[in-house]
């Protein structure tokens, strides 16, 4: 069964450093998403991406964040200058899309980001 | 703004019994979807059940069913014949137009 994969499973970085979290969505999916979950808190939507551009983003997704689909398979989330409060689990998801109607989002296993 | 509220931070149930997790939401949209996701200790989010707001019939997936009350903006999850493997965090979520909002979650423990 196809699945969303994410690498690395755990990333440790120093405050102020740039990190790139990687995701490989399911191959025939067209919509891609990033969510984050601070330990013990709710899952929060960050951004959705379709046709090589951001389609929706939340208030959390500020100028420190960017997303990219650099090739036909990867979908990345970059945090330019990490802060302590960026420590969280980051989930990638993809759906077959597009449009307003829901298509099931399949979640990856997550990347745990720890900022020291 | 859309909000999703889960008022039960933790619940427990005996194996083989039935438990209901509550969820309420606030939205001005007329068409949307509602979901229950399960997050076991492995932390991967797994879709349990979904409900389309324009459908009056409550969704059912094996031991999982929902009680969807659109006017009351309520969406509860009933788990019948609870199993030890149901132990997990359960998140209620609202979705419309690529915007998904999650509740704070309910930690469910199934006791043997």
């Amino acid at each position: 069964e196809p699945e969303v994969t994410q690498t690395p499973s755990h990333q440790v970085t120093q405050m102020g450093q740039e990190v790139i979290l990687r995701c490989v969505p399911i191959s025939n999916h067209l919509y891609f998403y990033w969510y984050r979950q601070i330990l013990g808190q709710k899952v929060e939507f960050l951004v959705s991406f379709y046709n090589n551009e951001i389609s929706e983003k939340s208030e959390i997704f500020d100028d420190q964040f960017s997303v990219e689909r650099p090739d036909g398979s990867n979908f990345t989330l970059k945090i330019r200058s990490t802060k302590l409060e960026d420590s969280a689990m980051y989930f990638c998801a993809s759906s077959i899309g597009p449009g307003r109607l829901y298509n099931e989002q399949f979640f990856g296993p997550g990347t745990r980001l720890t900022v020291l | 703004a859309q909000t999703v509220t889960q008022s039960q931070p933790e619940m427990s149930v005996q194996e083989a019994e039935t438990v209901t997790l509550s969820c309420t939401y606030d939205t001005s949209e007329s068409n949307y979807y509602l979901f229950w996701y399960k997050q076991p200790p492995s932390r991967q989010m797994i879709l349990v059940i979904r409900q389309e707001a324009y459908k009056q019939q409550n969704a059912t997936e094996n031991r999982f069913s929902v009680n969807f009350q659109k006017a009351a903006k309520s969406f509860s999850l009933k788990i019948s014949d609870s199993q030890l493997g149901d132990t997990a965090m359960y998140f209620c979520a609202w979705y419309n137009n690529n915007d998904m909002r999650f509740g704070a979650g309910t930690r469910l423990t199934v006791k043997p």
Side-chain angles (χ1 to χ4, degrees):
Chain A
E1 187 175 329
E3 58 184 20
V4 177
T5 59
Q6 290 185 243
T7 54
S9 57
H10 191 188
Q11 172 97 42
V12 181
T13 189
Q14 295 288 329
M15 191 169 58
Q17 295 296 304
E18 175 184 285
V19 294
I20 298 176
L21 309 183
R22 291 183 168 78
C23 168
V24 179
I26 294 173
S27 62
N28 63 337
H29 284 188
L30 300 175
Y31 267 97
F32 314 113
Y33 312 84
W34 282 102
Y35 296 85
R36 81 171 183 192
Q37 184 183 31
I38 295 171
L39 187 64
Q41 298 187 25
K42 68 170 72 173
V43 177
E44 300 171 294
F45 168 75
L46 292 178
V47 66
S48 61
F49 189 85
Y50 169 68
N51 199 26
N52 281 321
E53 57 184 33
I54 291 172
S55 49
E56 300 281 345
K57 61 181 181 178
S58 72
E59 55 276 9
I60 302 167
F61 194 87
D62 61 23
D63 292 344
Q64 290 298 310
F65 292 90
S66 62
V67 289
E68 192 178 29
R69 188 155 163 82
D71 53 43
S73 59
N74 288 284
F75 177 53
T76 61
L77 174 70
K78 182 192 291 186
I79 309 175
R80 287 190 183 80
S81 177
T82 50
K83 308 187 211 39
L84 295 176
E85 53 265 37
D86 292 328
S87 293
M89 194 79 162
Y90 288 81
F91 292 100
C92 172
S94 70
S95 67
I96 197 160
R100 293 179 66 91
L101 294 178
Y102 180 76
N103 289 280
E104 180 178 345
Q105 292 185 22
F106 291 81
F107 283 79
T111 292
R112 181 177 298 284
L113 176 66
T114 302
V115 182
L116 302 176
Chain B
Q2 279 65 234
T3 58
V4 179
T5 302
Q6 293 178 250
S7 58
Q8 305 150 314
E10 293 190 24
M11 292 192 72
S12 63
V13 63
Q14 290 296 131
E15 194 176 6
E17 293 189 349
T18 295
V19 65
T20 299
L21 309 183
S22 65
C23 172
T24 58
Y25 59 93
D26 188 24
T27 184
S28 57
E29 300 284 344
S30 56
N31 288 324
Y32 49 88
Y33 292 76
L34 296 163
F35 309 95
W36 280 97
Y37 278 92
K38 171 183 176 181
Q39 188 182 43
S42 66
R43 298 188 68 82
Q44 186 151 6
M45 301 282 284
I46 302 165
L47 179 64
V48 173
I49 196 165
R50 80 176 192 197
Q51 174 81 42
E52 291 129 337
Y54 61 86
K55 288 189 176 178
Q56 292 186 342
Q57 186 173 6
N58 289 325
T60 299
E61 287 286 339
N62 301 312
R63 298 183 294 109
F64 299 89
S65 61
V66 298
N67 183 5
F68 173 48
Q69 303 287 330
K70 190 173 183 179
K73 295 181 181 173
S74 168
F75 182 62
S76 60
L77 174 70
K78 185 171 83 171
I79 306 174
S80 305
D81 185 25
S82 298
Q83 299 176 0
L84 297 178
D86 294 334
T87 292
M89 281 290 285
Y90 286 81
F91 292 97
C92 177
W94 175 98
Y95 175 91
N96 176 267
N97 197 27
N98 288 316
D99 183 7
M100 185 176 282
R101 305 282 171 153
F102 288 84
T106 296
R107 183 176 301 282
L108 176 68
T109 302
V110 179
K111 298 179 178 177

